[in-house]
Amino acid sequence: MLLIVSLLILFVVFIALVSRRLNVPLIIIALAIGIIFGSDVTGLIYFDNAVLTQKLANIALVFILFAGGFGTKGSTFNSVVKPTMLLATIGVLLTSSVTAVIFYYVTGWSFLKSFLISSIISSTDAAAVFSILRTRSINRNVTSITEVESAANDPMAIVSTTFILQLVIGSGISTYSSFFLFIWQLLGGVGIGIAVGFAGAFLFNKIKELDVGYFYLFLIGIILLSFGLADVCKASGMLSAFFAGLVMGNRQIPYRNGISSFSGILSFIANVGIFIMLGLLVFPRNFSDIWIWGILLFLIVTFVSRPVAVFICTILTKLSFKEKIFLSWSGIRGAVPIVLATYPLAAGIDGNHQIFNIVFFAVTLSVIFQGTTIGKLADILKLSSKNAVKSKQTMELVTVHDTDYELIEISVDPDTYTGHCMISDLVLPVGTTITMINRHNTIIAPSGKTLILPGDILSVLVERKKIQEVTLSILDKFSKII
């Protein structure tokens, strides 16, 4: 088994090279690898445990959502909170309702069964959204709405799926209880996440004398605490994890950059792992019986239900028509709908995997078609921006003490600026130091006579309040290309 797992991991890494060149989302590669290594293709791994998948997937989503929150700026979140919350609540109900009605009339399924599968696929997915949108340079306003919505709409999808599932199996349930459960999951998840986030940031500063390795261990504990505490309190653990990350990501904590990188690594591993596992769970030989329903479900959600929900929920916002179109298309389905599709399996009402396979097929289509074309659509709608030059070598200001200094990178964009300047010609605030220059991935130790050229990436030690002043002082030495 260990040999197979090692081969699987190595396979992911090498295939990732291909996906990077072909611009194919890695989660598609992970799904494909899971299917290839699964029972129906090579038969190397037999996996058919829906309950275990549900539990492991939920744990993986916690790390993905925390990292997503950690990387979201508070100012960005505040600017999109209104449309985000509408889409995460009313938008989910609109999506499931419209989908259920159309699916019911077209397929002839019972209305409850149609509503069940519609509720399962009603939420967008954080794992897919974060992994795809954050690899592209797209208007941060609309991507922030989609990202935060994808983390916040799980409670409504989970509650509505659970509610309809109980109706299908004939379990008694109170409508009022269901409503108050949803409100508590939403508010409780947010409140507990914020509390854990502030507590985590406070405690990080209290243990700053420890070796850095303990910080990473402590971070894992905080992430799991954010989910576990909310789960015990019957609130949304997913929402709690996101808001814990959001609070901590916007607080001053020791080893901040290292912690950010570590949480991103955890998210990446969880992302790949969850899609491989979901790929293992599916049996492609059954697709011949459900593929038409999978295509139908994908078409209804993508071209009817999601746009209806977006345009209704954003009717009072200042979003442009183009931005609403992009929001509609960026509602990518992913791991969460597939995980929710294991609920009927675990409840024993989907013995032939019909609902699971239909949802899996529709989600796969969503990731393939929406995930691979979202960048092109942003270009067409003029919502994308040019990727900034990135450095393959970076420096980090590592200190456990409180400081007003930051180690930042300033890029001299060769497509924007021309000319050159000598470091000795710069007039920078006292205490500001250019510590390193990255020129075409070659490190230069700067001196007063060193020339700064277009394409250079400068690592600069500067007071936090003077970052903008220093950036402008350096870039103003160059001529802009008209």
Side-chain angles (χ1 to χ4, degrees):
M1 177 57 74
L2 288 178
L3 176 61
I4 294 175
V5 172
S6 66
L7 290 174
L8 192 150
I9 293 172
L10 293 173
F11 200 48
V12 168
V13 175
F14 286 114
I15 293 297
L17 290 173
V18 179
S19 72
R20 183 181 181 89
R21 293 172 183 174
L22 299 179
N23 201 25
V24 177
L26 183 60
I27 54 177
I28 287 291
I29 303 297
L31 273 175
I33 289 173
I35 293 173
I36 292 170
F37 277 75
S39 307
D40 271 6
V41 182
T42 62
L44 291 174
I45 301 176
Y46 181 85
F47 186 74
D48 189 19
N49 192 328
V51 176
L52 179 61
T53 300
Q54 179 182 329
K55 292 178 180 178
L56 293 178
N58 283 337
I59 294 173
L61 284 172
V62 172
F63 291 97
I64 294 168
L65 289 169
F66 181 91
F70 199 94
T72 300
K73 293 182 179 179
S75 56
T76 301
F77 175 78
N78 293 334
S79 66
V80 301
V81 66
K82 183 177 179 180
T84 293
M85 289 301 104
L86 284 174
L87 283 168
T89 53
I90 297 174
V92 171
L93 290 178
L94 282 172
T95 300
S96 61
S97 299
V98 173
T99 304
V101 171
I102 298 175
F103 201 78
Y104 165 70
Y105 281 109
V106 174
T107 64
W109 284 26
S110 69
F111 187 72
L112 276 181
K113 192 175 178 181
S114 298
F115 220 128
L116 176 60
I117 197 170
S118 300
S119 297
I120 287 171
I121 203 168
S122 61
S123 67
T124 58
D125 180 68
V129 168
F130 285 132
S131 65
I132 292 173
L133 291 186
R134 294 205 171 180
T135 60
R136 288 156 175 75
S137 184
I138 301 173
N139 181 293
R140 282 305 300 166
N141 188 42
V142 289
T143 56
S144 294
I145 293 175
T146 305
E147 289 173 355
V148 178
E149 175 207 355
S150 68
N153 62 14
D154 293 333
M156 178 61 86
I158 293 171
V159 170
S160 60
T161 298
T162 304
F163 177 72
I164 299 300
L165 183 60
Q166 289 177 323
L167 291 179
V168 172
I169 63 179
S171 174
I173 185 171
S174 167
T175 303
Y176 291 107
S177 297
S178 180
F179 174 76
F180 285 114
L181 174 61
F182 163 70
I183 295 298
W184 167 243
Q185 282 203 316
L186 186 66
L187 298 181
V190 173
I192 292 172
I194 291 175
V196 171
F198 276 112
F202 174 78
L203 292 173
F204 260 111
N205 284 288
K206 290 299 180 182
I207 64 169
K208 59 187 179 183
E209 301 300 332
L210 292 174
D211 292 337
V212 66
Y214 289 104
F215 279 75
Y216 300 138
L217 184 62
F218 190 73
L219 179 69
I220 294 175
I222 290 294
I223 295 173
L224 295 177
L225 176 66
S226 66
F227 176 83
L229 185 59
D231 191 53
V232 168
C233 296
K234 305 299 181 184
S236 171
M238 305 295 181
L239 206 52
S240 177
F242 177 83
F243 276 89
L246 179 67
V247 170
M248 290 187 65
N250 287 277
R251 303 289 292 177
Q252 189 64 31
I253 56 177
Y255 301 112
R256 175 186 168 77
N257 290 343
I259 290 171
S260 177
S261 298
F262 182 68
S263 67
I265 291 169
L266 290 176
S267 173
F268 176 82
I269 294 172
N271 226 329
V272 172
I274 193 174
F275 280 96
I276 289 176
M277 182 174 58
L278 292 170
L280 290 171
L281 187 63
V282 75
F283 289 80
R285 67 170 178 267
N286 296 328
F287 285 170
S288 60
D289 300 325
I290 57 85
W291 67 270
I292 191 167
W293 305 129
I295 293 175
L296 176 65
L297 187 61
F298 165 71
L299 293 175
I300 294 172
V301 171
T302 306
F303 294 100
V304 183
S305 307
R306 171 68 179 180
V308 167
V310 167
F311 276 83
I312 290 178
C313 291
T314 60
I315 194 169
L316 297 179
T317 67
K318 296 181 180 179
L319 293 172
S320 66
F321 180 78
K322 290 181 178 180
E323 289 174 326
K324 292 178 182 180
I325 291 294
F326 183 83
L327 277 177
S328 299
W329 190 249
S330 61
I332 303 168
R333 317 291 140 168
V336 170
I338 298 177
V339 171
L340 288 178
T342 64
Y343 284 26
L345 275 174
I349 65 169
D350 189 30
N352 60 356
H353 287 216
Q354 184 186 43
I355 292 176
F356 179 85
N357 286 331
I358 292 174
V359 171
F360 186 95
F361 198 89
V363 165
T364 302
L365 292 177
S366 174
V367 176
I368 291 175
F369 288 103
Q370 293 173 263
T372 57
T373 59
I374 198 166
K376 187 63 177 178
L377 179 64
D379 293 338
I380 294 173
L381 297 176
K382 300 188 185 324
L383 294 176
S384 60
S385 56
K386 192 180 75 65
N387 288 317
V389 179
K390 292 185 178 181
S391 170
K392 290 186 178 180
Q393 293 88 15
T394 60
M395 298 179 67
E396 177 183 356
L397 180 60
V398 178
T399 177
V400 297
H401 303 291
D402 294 331
T403 177
D404 291 328
Y405 280 86
E406 291 278 0
L407 191 57
I408 65 170
E409 285 189 346
I410 298 175
S411 174
V412 185
D413 188 346
D415 293 333
T416 304
Y417 299 100
T418 185
H420 63 270
C421 77
M422 193 175 293
I423 289 181
S424 59
D425 293 334
L426 296 172
V427 180
L428 301 176
V430 176
T432 302
T433 304
I434 299 177
T435 60
M436 180 181 81
I437 297 178
N438 183 309
R439 181 172 296 160
H440 306 303
N441 293 316
T442 299
I443 302 302
I444 298 174
S447 65
K449 295 182 179 180
T450 302
L451 284 178
I452 302 175
L453 305 174
D456 286 354
I457 301 174
L458 284 61
S459 294
V460 184
L461 183 66
V462 58
E463 278 190 87
R464 193 175 296 113
K465 63 183 179 180
K466 295 180 180 179
I467 290 177
Q468 185 175 6
E469 176 188 343
V470 169
T471 302
L472 292 175
S473 295
I474 294 174
L475 296 181
D476 282 347
K477 290 292 184 179
F478 294 85
S479 300
K480 284 193 174 183
I481 299 174
I482 301 176

